[in-house]
Amino acid sequence: MADSEYAPPKVWTWNKANGGRFANINRPIAGPTHDKDLPVGRHPLQLHSLATPNGVKVTVLLEELLALGHHGAEYDAWLIRIGDGDQFGSGFVAANPNSKIPALIDRGGPTPVRVFESGAILLYLAEKFGAFLPPDGPGRAECLSWLFWQMGSAPYLGGGFGHFYAYAPSKFEYPIDRFAMEVKRQLDVLDRRLAETEYLAGSDYTIADIAVWPWYGGLVNGWLYEAAEFLSVQDYGNLRRWADTIGERPAVRRGRMVNRIFGEPSSQLHERHDATDFETKTQDKLALPT
């Protein structure tokens, strides 16, 4: 059946909910909806996030930095429940005026530094600790090119394909076909690159891989939108090899758990304030009778 025709008005107005999974938090204006200060823990780095692909990028990098021995990367990770509208609290809006997770506040200096947008946070932390980013030359350029490729490409995967395939109140052929075509083109871009080199920026694992993996590694592993079969992800062998290699890293496994509120209780660490929390404060442990 053909999609029904829609005649846009001369001036769009917000006069009804748009439907779909996230209709209750969608609105055409910015700013806070309520007063709520952000909590502050004991570490200089304060992360306010949720374990969506964009949130996972940052927790993976922080866990990788800690695994390298960068003790200054210790952090408090506070849960932002976007379905409940936590991102519209006044404290969070002050940390990120765009009201999207993740948001990082670095309190390690005389004046707190806010960093928002996941790519900016990865770059900030990589430069702060001198890790997972080549210092100069062609390697740095390649790393940053793939980092920003992800920032520009993933909205077609998430807000485009993911929305119309999994979250929209009704399914229509045109937008699903349009965005499925683009996502498969992106998968082919990655697969061809990873036929040439071990990691996206070359022989070294960098923030480019950390940025791309939660989205496209998650997709080929069947974690996003239940769309692996629909998109024939088994056809992208080089991408699957790369996704499996990264997914086996202990720091990546830990990073996926932080601020996670879905899946097996043993995989959910709603808040992270110390390395020992992975052993004692996952949801399966907290649910045990006292």
Side-chain angles (χ1 to χ4, degrees), residues 60-78:
V60 163
L61 177 56
L62 287 166
E63 292 298 327
E64 293 281 16
L65 290 167
L66 290 169
L68 280 184
H70 293 285
H71 301 298
E74 270 293 352
Y75 66 104
D76 291 281
W78 303 94

Side-chain angles (χ1 to χ4, degrees), residues 21-26 34 49-50 52 79-88 99 101 261:
R21 180 171 171 181
F22 300 105
N24 65 311
I25 61 171
N26 291 335
H34 58 283
S49 192
L50 180 69
T52 66
L79 180 61
I80 298 294
R81 294 180 181 269
I82 61 175
D84 295 343
D86 290 352
Q87 69 275 32
F88 301 120
S99 292
I101 63 94
I261 58 172

Side-chain angles (χ1 to χ4, degrees), residues 95-165:
N96 182 356
N98 196 37
S99 292
K100 304 288 184 181
I101 63 94
L104 178 75
I105 301 175
D106 184 352
R107 297 180 176 274
T111 302
V113 176
R114 75 176 187 185
V115 194
F116 57 91
E117 290 296 325
S118 58
I121 296 173
L122 295 187
L123 185 55
Y124 177 84
L125 292 172
E127 290 184 332
K128 179 182 179 72
F129 294 102
F132 301 110
L133 174 65
D136 51 34
R140 182 183 179 88
E142 191 74 17
C143 176
L144 293 179
S145 293
W146 286 107
L147 172 65
F148 287 100
W149 177 90
Q150 185 277 314
M151 299 299 291
S153 296
Y156 292 96
L157 168 55
F161 173 77
H163 175 77
F164 286 105
Y165 182 79

